[in-house]
C-alpha cells in the first residue's frame, strides 16, 4: 500500500472514530478529514470538487426538500398535525402510539427523515407533559418510524437515494420493486409496539381539554403549498418517464424555488430566514464524506477490499446479499450510515466487476445503463441494512441525534443505554424481517 492510500485509509478511520466517540461534531470531523486529503496531496481541490459533483443529485434533492419544507413552517401545519395526533388518541395510550406511527409514516415517505423529526419532535414534549406521560419513548418511537418509513420511497432517506442513484434506479422502479420492504419495516414496528412501548400502550391519558389547539395560519398559502407539494410528488413519479426526463433532484429544486417565491410574495416569511434555517451542516457533511470516500477510491483502497470480498464470496449473490444486509445493519448501528453507504457503493461495484458479472464501464461516474439484474439484490440488501441498522443505537442515524437534542432541551436525557433498550429489539426484528423480504422477493 502506497503513502497516499495509507493517508486516505487513516483519514477515513480517524474521522469515523471521532464521530463514533463524539469527540468532534460529525460535520467538523468530516470537513477536516476532506481537507487533510487535499493538503496531503492525496487529491487536488479540483478533484475533490469533482467527487462532490459526482453526487450532485443527492445534494440537490435534499437541499430542495429542506427549503420546500421550511418555506411552509409559518403556516403552523406541523404543530397542528402533532396536536391532532394526540387528540385522535381519545384518552387511550395505544391510540397515541398508533397515531405517532400513522402521522410520521406518510410524511417520512416523501421527506427526509431527519428533517421531519426536526419539525415534529419539538412539538411532542409539551403535549406529552400536559397529558401526564413520559415523552422520551414517544420521541424514540418517532425516530424508529421515521427511519423505517424512509424505505417506502426513493427520496425518503439519504441512504436509499444514494444507493438508488448509484444504480440508476428511478422513482417508479423503486416503488415497484422495493416499497414493499418499507411496508415490512414499518409493520414490524407496529407488531412489537404493544410490547416495546407497553407503559404508554396500556396507559389511560389525562384530560385532553387542557391541550392547546393550534390553528392553521395563512390557509390560502397552505392550500397553494399543498398543490405545489402534490405537483412535486407527481413529478417524482412521472418525471423520469417524460420525453425529456426530469430527475427527482431537479423536481425538488424547482419546487423549492417556487416555494421561496410563494413564501416571499405572500409575506409569510423572508427568503433570508428560510435559507438561514436550511440544515447546511448536514449538506456540508455529505460533501465532505463524498471527498473522503473519493480518496479511498482514488488510491485503490476500495479496489483492494473488493478483491478480498470477491475471494470470500465468489459469485454467491444470495450469501453475499444476506451477509451484507446483516453486516451493514450492525455496522450502521455504530457508524453513521451515510459514510458507510457512500463507501460501500463503489466497493460493491468493483466487486461486481472483479467477479465478472459486469464490465468496468459501470465504474464510470457517468454510467447511465442498468446493472445486471442478478447483482441488484446486493445493493438492495445494503440499502435495507444501512437504513434499518440506524435504529439500533443513539448514534446510528441523524434523526436519533435530533431527538436526543430535543429531549435535552425539554429537561430529559436520552442516554445511550436507554435508547439501546428500545433500539436493539427493533433493529434485530427489522433485520430479520428485511432478510426474509430480500430472500423471498429477489433471491428465490
Amino acid at each position: 500500500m502506497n503513502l497516499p492510500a495509507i493517508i486516505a485509509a487513516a483519514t477515513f478511520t480517524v474521522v469515523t472514530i471521532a464521530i463514533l466517540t463524539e469527540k468532534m461534531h460529525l460535520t467538523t470531523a468530516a470537513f477536516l478529514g476532506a481537507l487533510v486529503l487535499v493538503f496531503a496531496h492525496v487529491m487536488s481541490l479540483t478533484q475533490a470538487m469533482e467527487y462532490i459533483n459526482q453526487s450532485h443529485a443527492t445534494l440537490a434533492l435534499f437541499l430542495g426538500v429542506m427549503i420546500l419544507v421550511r418555506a411552509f413552517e409559518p403556516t403552523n401545519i406541523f404543530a397542528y398535525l402533532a396536536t391532532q395526533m394526540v387528540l385522535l388518541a381519545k384518552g387511550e395510550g395505544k391510540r397515541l402510539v398508533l397515531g405517532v406511527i400513522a402521522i410520521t409514516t406518510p410524511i417520512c415517505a416523501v421527506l427526509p427523515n431527519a428533517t421531519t423529526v426536526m419539525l415534529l419532535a419539538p412539538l411532542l414534549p409539551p403535549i406529552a407533559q400536559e397529558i401526564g406521560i413520559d415523552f422520551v419513548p414517544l420521541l424514540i418511537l418517532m425516530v424508529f418510524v421515521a427511519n423505517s418509513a424512509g424505505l417506502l420511497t426513493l427520496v425518503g432517506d439519504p441512504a436509499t437515494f444514494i444507493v438508488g442513484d448509484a444504480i440508476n434506479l428511478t422513482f417508479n422502479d423503486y416503488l415497484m420493486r422495493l416499497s414493499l420492504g418499507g411496508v415490512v419495516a414499518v409493520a414490524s414496528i407496529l407488531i412489537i409496539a404493544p410490547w416495546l412501548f407497553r407503559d404508554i400502550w396500556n396507559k389511560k391519558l389525562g384530560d385532553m381539554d387542557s391541550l392547546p389547539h393550534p390553528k392553521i395560519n395563512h390557509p390560502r398559502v397552505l392550500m397553494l403549498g399543498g398543490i405545489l407539494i402534490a405537483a412535486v410528488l407527481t413529478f417524482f413519479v412521472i418525471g423520469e418517464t417524460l420525453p425529456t426526463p426530469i430527475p427527482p433532484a431537479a423536481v425538488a429544486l424547482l419546487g423549492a424555488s417556487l416555494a421561496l417565491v410563494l413564501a416571499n410574495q405572500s409575506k409569510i416569511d423572508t427568503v433570508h430566514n428560510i435559507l438561514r434555517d436550511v440544515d447546511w451542516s448536514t449538506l456540508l457533511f455529505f460533501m465532505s464524506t463524498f471527498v473522503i470516500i473519493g480518496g479511498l477510491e482514488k488510491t485503490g483502497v476500495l479496489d483492494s477490499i473488493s478483491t478480498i470480498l470477491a475471494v470470500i464470496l465468489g459469485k454467491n449473490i444470495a450469501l453475499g446479499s444476506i451477509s451484507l444486509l446483516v453486516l451493514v445493519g450492525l455496522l450502521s448501528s455504530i457508524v453513521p450510515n451515510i459514510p458507510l453507504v457512500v463507501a460501500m457503493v463503489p466497493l460493491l461495484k468493483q466487486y461486481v466487476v472483479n467477479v465478472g458479472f459486469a464490465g468496468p464501464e459501470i465504474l464510470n461516474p457517468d454510467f447511465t445503463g442498468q446493472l445486471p439484474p442478478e447483482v441488484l439484490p446486493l445493493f438492495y440488501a445494503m440499502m435495507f441494512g444501512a437504513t434499518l441498522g440506524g435504529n439500533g443505537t443513539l448514534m446510528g442515524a441523524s434523526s436519533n441525534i435530533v431527538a436526543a437534542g430535543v429531549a435535552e432541551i425539554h429537561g430529559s436525557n436520552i442516554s445511550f443505554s436507554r435508547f439501546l433498550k428500545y433500539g436493539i429489539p427493533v433493529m434485530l426484528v427489522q433485520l430479520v424481517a428485511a432478510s426474509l423480504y430480500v430472500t423471498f422477493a429477489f433471491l428465490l
Side-chain angles (χ1 to χ4, degrees):
M1 186 179 287
N2 54 34
L3 182 59
I6 292 172
I7 294 173
T11 300
F12 176 78
T13 303
V14 171
V15 168
T16 302
I17 292 172
I19 295 172
L20 182 60
T21 58
E22 299 181 313
K23 296 294 185 184
M24 192 180 293
H25 188 278
L26 79 169
T27 301
T28 307
F31 191 31
L32 184 59
L35 290 173
V36 165
L37 297 183
V38 173
F39 279 88
H41 299 291
V42 172
M43 66 177 71
S44 66
L45 183 59
T46 301
Q47 289 171 325
M49 297 305 293
E50 287 172 356
Y51 281 114
I52 294 172
N53 183 55
Q54 288 174 17
S55 300
H56 67 275
T58 301
L59 299 169
L61 175 74
F62 289 102
L63 173 62
V65 172
M66 286 174 185
I67 293 173
L68 190 61
V69 171
R70 171 59 184 82
F72 298 110
E73 193 175 350
T75 63
N76 218 28
I77 180 62
F78 298 104
Y80 177 81
L81 288 175
T83 303
Q84 291 304 307
M85 189 190 317
V86 178
L87 291 175
L88 290 172
K90 297 180 179 179
E92 294 186 27
K94 64 181 179 182
R95 289 194 179 196
L96 177 58
V97 171
L98 295 174
V100 171
I101 296 173
I103 295 288
T104 308
T105 297
I107 297 175
C108 286
V110 293
L111 299 180
N113 43 27
T115 302
T116 303
V117 173
M118 283 178 195
L119 294 167
L120 289 180
L123 307 172
L124 278 182
I127 295 174
Q129 289 165 343
E130 285 279 352
I131 58 178
I133 61 172
D134 183 5
F135 62 78
V136 168
L138 288 179
L139 289 178
I140 293 175
L141 171 63
M142 177 176 283
V143 298
F144 288 160
V145 177
N147 294 337
S148 305
L151 285 166
L152 289 168
T153 70
L154 181 65
V155 300
D157 185 87
T160 58
F161 188 78
I162 290 169
V163 178
D165 185 55
I167 60 175
N168 300 319
L169 192 67
T170 67
F171 192 90
N172 270 352
D173 288 339
Y174 190 98
L175 289 179
M176 298 298 293
R177 299 181 201 171
L178 295 164
S179 286
L180 182 57
V183 174
V184 170
V186 175
S188 63
I189 295 176
L190 198 59
I191 291 170
I192 64 175
W195 166 73
L196 198 60
F197 299 96
R198 54 188 173 276
D199 290 343
I200 296 178
W201 186 273
N202 297 319
K203 188 177 180 64
K204 293 296 180 182
L205 306 180
D207 184 16
M208 296 289 184
D209 296 332
S210 61
L211 279 178
H213 289 65
K215 295 183 179 179
I216 297 292
N217 299 327
H218 317 291
R220 291 180 63 186
V221 176
L222 181 61
M223 181 183 70
L224 292 174
I227 294 172
L228 175 58
I229 291 173
V232 167
L233 295 179
T234 300
F235 276 92
F236 276 165
V237 175
I238 69 170
E240 291 173 294
T241 65
L242 297 175
T244 302
I246 307 174
V251 173
L253 288 177
L254 178 59
S257 65
L258 294 176
L260 285 173
V261 171
L262 180 58
N264 191 60
Q265 294 301 113
S266 62
K267 301 189 186 312
I268 66 171
D269 212 337
T270 66
V271 172
H272 177 269
N273 286 343
I274 294 170
L275 294 181
R276 181 195 62 199
D277 293 340
V278 168
D279 188 6
W280 297 108
S281 174
T282 296
L283 294 174
L284 182 58
F285 172 67
F286 281 178
M287 288 187 279
S288 302
T289 300
F290 297 144
V291 173
I292 292 172
I293 302 307
L296 296 177
E297 186 177 355
K298 181 177 183 292
T299 57
V301 174
L302 294 183
D303 190 21
S304 299
I305 297 173
S306 68
T307 302
I308 297 171
L309 199 63
V311 172
I312 295 173
L313 297 178
K315 293 189 174 184
N316 194 331
I317 296 297
L319 174 63
S321 297
I322 299 306
S323 301
L324 198 63
L325 192 153
V326 174
L327 178 61
V328 170
L330 294 176
L331 282 175
S332 66
S333 69
I334 56 174
V335 177
N337 59 7
I338 300 305
L340 187 62
V341 166
V342 174
M344 289 297 297
V345 166
L347 191 153
L348 271 186
K349 283 189 171 183
Q350 187 66 59
Y351 159 75
V352 168
V353 171
N354 287 349
V355 296
F357 279 118
E361 65 274 6
I362 71 167
L363 303 177
N364 190 327
D366 297 324
F367 177 70
T368 57
Q370 295 296 310
L371 271 65
E374 60 267 28
V375 305
L376 290 176
L378 290 168
F379 294 89
Y380 300 159
M382 176 177 62
M383 188 185 293
F384 281 97
T387 303
L388 300 178
N391 283 333
T393 69
L394 185 59
M395 64 185 67
S398 53
S399 53
N400 305 3
I401 304 297
V402 171
V406 169
E408 189 173 354
I409 290 170
H410 288 87
S412 287
N413 178 41
I414 302 181
S415 65
F416 187 88
S417 58
R418 185 173 189 185
F419 191 97
L420 209 64
K421 184 178 74 171
Y422 295 95
I424 291 299
V426 168
M427 180 186 72
L428 293 177
V429 168
Q430 289 188 320
L431 290 182
V432 170
S435 297
L436 292 173
Y437 169 72
V438 169
T439 300
F440 285 101
F442 305 111
L443 299 175
L444 293 181

